[in-house]
Amino acid sequence: MTDLNRFVLRKLAFTGPKVQTKELTFSDGLNLIWGASNAGKSFIVKALDFMTGARSPLPNIPERAGYDRCWLELDLPETGRITLARALKGGGIALHLGSIQPGTDAKPDRTLAAVHATRTQRSESLSGFLLNELGIVDKKVARVLDGTTSPFTFRFLAPYIFTEETAMMGEASPTKIDPRTPDTLDKNVLKYILTGVDDSAVVARLPVRQQKALNSGKLEIVEEMISAAIAELELLFPEDDVETLDLNVQEAEISKTVVSLSQALEARQFELDAMRQDRRAYLDQREELSVRSSEIAVTIDRFGLLAAVYDSDVERLLSLEEGAAALLAGAKRPCPLCGADPEHQHEVHGLDQIVRSRQAVRAEIAKIKAERLDLTKAVTSLQAEARGLDLRDNRLSVEVAWLEMRISDARPGEVSSRIAYEKLDQARQRIREGLALKARIDSLEKRRATLQKFRPAKVPRDQIAVGVGHVVGHEFAQEVQAILAAWHFPGPAIVAFDDKTHDILIDGKDRQSNGKGVRALMNTAFKLGVLAYCRRKSLPHPGIVSLDSPLLTYRDPHNSKYGELSADEEAIKESGVKDWFYRYLLDHTQAAQFIVIENDPAPFELGTNAKVTVFTGPRGEGGRQGLF
């Protein structure tokens, strides 16, 4: 995680299937890359811009032959360290969490689109991801005077982060985002960066021609909708004239009939339901009677078996009684007490024992006959109950038959009433659909009349306030003036903010009135001033400033392609700005990361808080010849 809510570049790398990986690492603070021309120094700034979403392809320099992918490792305030990978041909960006080896075939954690996408769009973009890291979400800036807005993208921040050599010394304002962007958008982007207030609240007003075209389109759509509604109404009522069709009267009459029929249908349905409910109750009673009759029949059968057992027991006991009488008579027969045959009777039963046996048998017979009598009574009672159940079942059967006859007679009337009700209801539904269509037609005709009366509103020339206001512009100019003072810029170096161009004036002179080297320093001071202003106001800024040839004033007029120095450049070259420029950057490395591309070394040792990379050039000996 980084401090001050800023980004920190860590490593830029290039890979290819059959070439050696080339890497360039960065320190947290000042990074100076200097050396011979045609060594790939300017390519570095272009590559950094490309890896943060620039759509323009990288220059196809001979040195990059064989390389097909670019990698950028950096630290972010929220996500932490990530590594981005992108084909040199362009397209989307692969995002890997953490630090990974360039050239790896590992599957990315996310795939981001190069084109900015808002939160409501499906594809996630690199621009949205990076802006979210800065806390910038769904911001808008007005791009033209009528208030039409565009989503704020990371590409709007890019000119304040990456300044290439051509733009560095150019005559255009440092606020220029792209040659194709209107000045209104450029100025409003600077306004948002310096204030944190976007243009989401602006209500756009179209020019007169666009208002007329838009109204004409709306009128055409409304007329098509009217024609479609009339055609639909004619399909519903093909036999009627839709212009004179009075559906309200028809709807009232048919609704009255439907209500009456509904009440009759409800009464018939209630009567049918009552009869069905009674029939169901009778059938349930018959079911209960049937169950009870079955239970009685089973019980009577079981009682019959019990009666047979009783009769058998009585017969056996009577035999015992007869046997005891025989003993009393002295007859030679099997013993009725022990069952022994006469020849085996070794014990002569006493007379008293035989008498007691007869008495016991008679008592048992009497008991059984009493139980047999109770059983007969129970059976008689059950048989009587069964006859009563049969009679009740017959009566219920008659009731059920009578109800079924009534239900059968009532059902056709209920069915015919229901059919009639459904037909009337369908007719009423058709009338109501027609009423809805007529209401829609009336509403559309009113809308058409309103559109036909439309008169476009004239749009004021300066419909919205554009760009930075006087107060913020003055504060920003003071910030830039403090930077020039820290550089020991020659002269009084009074800085003012030009409301018209949104550029700075130094001692009253604009950018075009100065030489290339002074324009480069003005551009550099402007970009550093934006960074310093945002830090002082706690406004979001990536905290990276990459500058290609900011010290053009110190070129060798005999070897440089930019030729002789102008008078103002000579004055700066003699003032020692170069030394103080580097000292200023070293003093501010806690708040930002600086990448400086130059042809010459720093005028003194930059110390441990800086990383110096030297390119010796294609013909150089020792060290690193260039980026590739």
Side-chain angles (χ1 to χ4, degrees):
M1 305 295 281
T2 61
D3 59 350
L4 293 175
N5 204 34
R6 67 184 178 101
F7 299 177
V8 176
L9 304 177
R10 294 298 179 188
K11 180 167 60 179
L12 179 68
F14 300 87
T15 60
K18 296 181 180 180
V19 293
Q20 183 180 0
T21 298
K22 297 299 181 182
E23 297 181 353
L24 182 67
T25 58
F26 304 98
S27 72
D28 293 8
L30 173 59
N31 296 269
L32 173 60
I33 304 165
W34 71 275
S37 300
N38 300 321
K41 301 190 305 296
S42 295
F43 194 86
I44 295 170
V45 179
K46 296 179 184 294
L48 292 175
D49 193 22
F50 177 75
M51 288 305 295
T52 53
R55 300 179 66 180
S56 301
L58 288 172
N60 193 18
I61 58 177
E63 291 80 5
R64 56 165 277 193
Y67 292 90
D68 63 357
R69 193 177 302 179
C70 186
W71 305 75
L72 179 63
E73 181 181 307
L74 67 160
D75 291 341
L76 299 176
E78 299 295 332
T79 307
R81 183 157 300 182
I82 65 167
T83 303
L84 303 176
R86 189 181 189 189
L88 294 182
K89 292 181 178 181
I93 297 96
L95 185 150
H96 301 266
L97 296 177
S99 176
I100 65 168
Q101 185 65 31
T104 180
D105 292 329
K107 184 179 179 180
D109 295 285
R110 295 160 77 174
T111 301
L112 304 174
V115 179
H116 180 82
T118 61
R119 181 182 291 176
T120 56
Q121 294 172 320
R122 290 185 179 179
S123 60
E124 186 178 16
S125 65
L126 176 64
S127 172
F129 174 76
L130 294 178
L131 289 178
N132 188 67
E133 292 288 325
L134 295 171
I136 301 175
V137 180
D138 291 342
K139 300 300 181 182
K140 297 179 180 180
V141 287
R143 60 180 303 109
V144 287
L145 291 176
D146 61 29
T148 303
T149 60
S150 294
F152 186 88
T153 77
F154 194 80
R155 301 315 308 158
F156 293 169
L157 278 175
Y160 299 91
I161 306 171
F162 310 110
T163 306
E164 299 178 16
E165 184 179 25
T166 302
M168 179 69 74
M169 64 193 69
E171 295 184 355
S173 170
T175 61
K176 196 64 184 171
I177 298 171
D178 184 272
R180 296 164 293 184
T181 55
D183 289 342
T184 301
L185 176 64
D186 298 334
K187 295 173 182 178
N188 286 332
V189 166
L190 178 64
K191 185 259 297 184
Y192 170 70
I193 293 174
L194 295 182
T195 64
V197 179
D198 71 338
D199 296 322
S200 298
V202 173
V203 178
R205 291 180 62 187
L206 299 177
V208 171
R209 182 180 298 177
Q210 292 186 25
Q211 291 182 54
K212 289 181 178 179
L214 182 60
N215 185 75
S216 177
K218 290 179 180 179
L219 184 60
E220 183 178 351
I221 292 173
V222 168
E223 289 177 343
E224 289 179 358
M225 293 174 69
I226 291 174
S227 299
I230 292 175
E232 193 174 347
L233 190 62
E234 290 173 345
L235 286 176
L236 275 176
F237 301 94
E239 69 284 358
D240 298 312
D241 181 6
V242 297
E243 294 293 334
T244 60
L245 190 60
D246 189 354
L247 295 177
N248 288 304
V249 174
Q250 294 185 32
E251 200 275 338
E253 292 177 352
I254 199 170
S255 292
K256 184 177 180 181
T257 305
V258 166
V259 170
S260 176
L261 187 58
S262 174
Q263 292 173 348
L265 179 61
E266 185 178 357
R268 290 185 176 181
Q269 185 64 49
F270 179 80
E271 183 182 4
L272 265 176
D273 290 343
M275 289 188 290
R276 289 184 178 120
Q277 188 173 6
D278 290 343
R279 182 182 61 179
R280 181 71 264 166
Y282 290 153
L283 290 174
D284 289 343
Q285 291 180 39
R286 291 191 67 192
E287 180 67 22
E288 293 175 359
L289 294 177
S290 176
V291 171
R292 179 58 183 160
S293 296
S294 298
E295 291 175 351
I296 290 174
V298 171
T299 303
I300 290 175
D301 288 342
R302 291 176 178 175
F303 282 180
L305 293 175
L306 182 58
V309 171
Y310 284 164
D311 293 343
S312 175
D313 288 346
V314 170
E315 289 178 1
R316 180 175 59 80
L317 291 171
L318 287 174
S319 298
L320 286 174
E321 184 184 17
E322 291 176 359
L327 282 175
L328 291 175
K332 295 292 185 177
R333 63 184 64 186
C335 178
L337 298 179
C338 64
D341 292 330
E343 64 271 19
H344 297 108
Q345 294 176 5
H346 303 294
E347 181 181 351
V348 179
H349 298 286
L351 182 60
D352 58 340
Q353 188 177 3
I354 293 173
V355 171
R356 289 196 302 272
S357 175
R358 287 189 66 191
Q359 291 174 347
V361 167
R362 288 176 180 174
E364 186 65 22
I365 289 173
K367 179 182 176 183
I368 291 174
K369 286 182 177 180
E371 291 178 352
R372 180 71 170 76
L373 180 61
D374 291 340
L375 183 61
T376 300
K377 292 179 180 179
V379 170
T380 301
S381 176
L382 289 174
Q383 289 173 343
E385 184 181 356
R387 288 191 296 272
L389 291 175
D390 289 339
L391 291 174
R392 190 177 174 189
D393 181 69
N394 291 334
R395 289 196 300 271
L396 290 174
S397 178
V398 171
E399 293 288 344
V400 169
W402 179 69
L403 283 172
E404 286 180 345
M405 182 180 64
R406 289 184 62 194
I407 291 171
S408 179
D409 292 341
R411 187 178 291 114
E414 186 269 342
V415 171
S416 62
S417 296
R418 185 174 297 279
I419 292 173
Y421 174 82
E422 290 176 352
K423 288 182 178 179
L424 278 174
D425 188 57
Q426 290 175 358
R428 183 174 62 173
Q429 183 61 31
R430 184 182 71 143
I431 291 173
R432 287 179 174 176
E433 290 179 4
L435 286 170
L437 283 171
K438 288 184 74 68
R440 190 198 309 172
I441 292 170
D442 291 342
S443 176
L444 289 171
E445 287 177 342
K446 291 177 181 178
R447 177 62 177 156
R448 178 173 62 184
T450 302
L451 291 173
Q452 289 172 341
K453 296 177 182 178
F454 172 78
R455 295 292 180 271
K458 293 184 178 180
V459 181
R461 292 183 60 187
D462 292 326
Q463 185 178 353
I464 62 170
V466 177
V468 177
H470 297 294
V471 175
V472 175
H474 175 72
E475 290 183 353
F476 174 67
Q478 295 302 302
E479 199 75 55
V480 176
Q481 182 171 304
I483 293 173
L484 294 180
W487 290 354
H488 292 205
F489 197 88
I494 303 300
V495 179
F497 185 77
D498 188 338
D499 294 335
K500 183 177 180 180
T501 63
H502 271 45
D503 199 356
I504 55 172
L505 304 173
I506 299 180
D507 297 332
K509 294 175 62 178
D510 60 15
R511 184 174 302 275
Q512 292 79 5
S513 302
N514 290 282
K516 296 183 180 67
V518 178
R519 292 200 296 267
L521 285 174
M522 291 177 70
N523 198 321
T524 300
F526 192 99
K527 303 299 174 57
L528 293 176
V530 170
L531 170 63
Y533 189 91
C534 289
R535 285 289 177 256
R536 186 165 59 84
K537 297 285 187 177
S538 298
L539 295 168
H541 190 288
I544 300 172
V545 177
S546 179
L547 306 164
D548 188 356
S549 304
L551 298 172
L552 186 66
T553 302
Y554 290 86
R555 66 186 182 275
D556 184 345
H558 301 291
N559 299 324
S560 174
K561 61 183 177 180
Y562 297 111
E564 296 290 335
L565 301 177
S566 61
D568 53 358
E569 290 179 294
E570 287 282 4
I572 290 177
K573 188 172 184 179
E574 299 297 327
S575 67
V577 167
K578 184 175 184 180
D579 292 51
W580 293 106
F581 167 77
Y582 282 109
R583 296 186 190 280
Y584 174 86
L585 297 183
L586 289 172
D587 289 341
H588 291 81
T589 53
Q590 294 299 317
Q593 182 181 37
F594 304 106
I595 300 171
V596 178
I597 308 296
E598 272 297 342
N599 290 326
D600 301 314
F604 57 89
E605 291 292 332
L606 298 179
T608 57
N609 201 23
K611 184 177 187 299
V612 179
T613 303
V614 182
F615 291 164
T616 61
R619 299 174 183 173
E621 296 181 1
R624 183 170 182 171
Q625 291 185 340
L627 177 61
F628 290 97

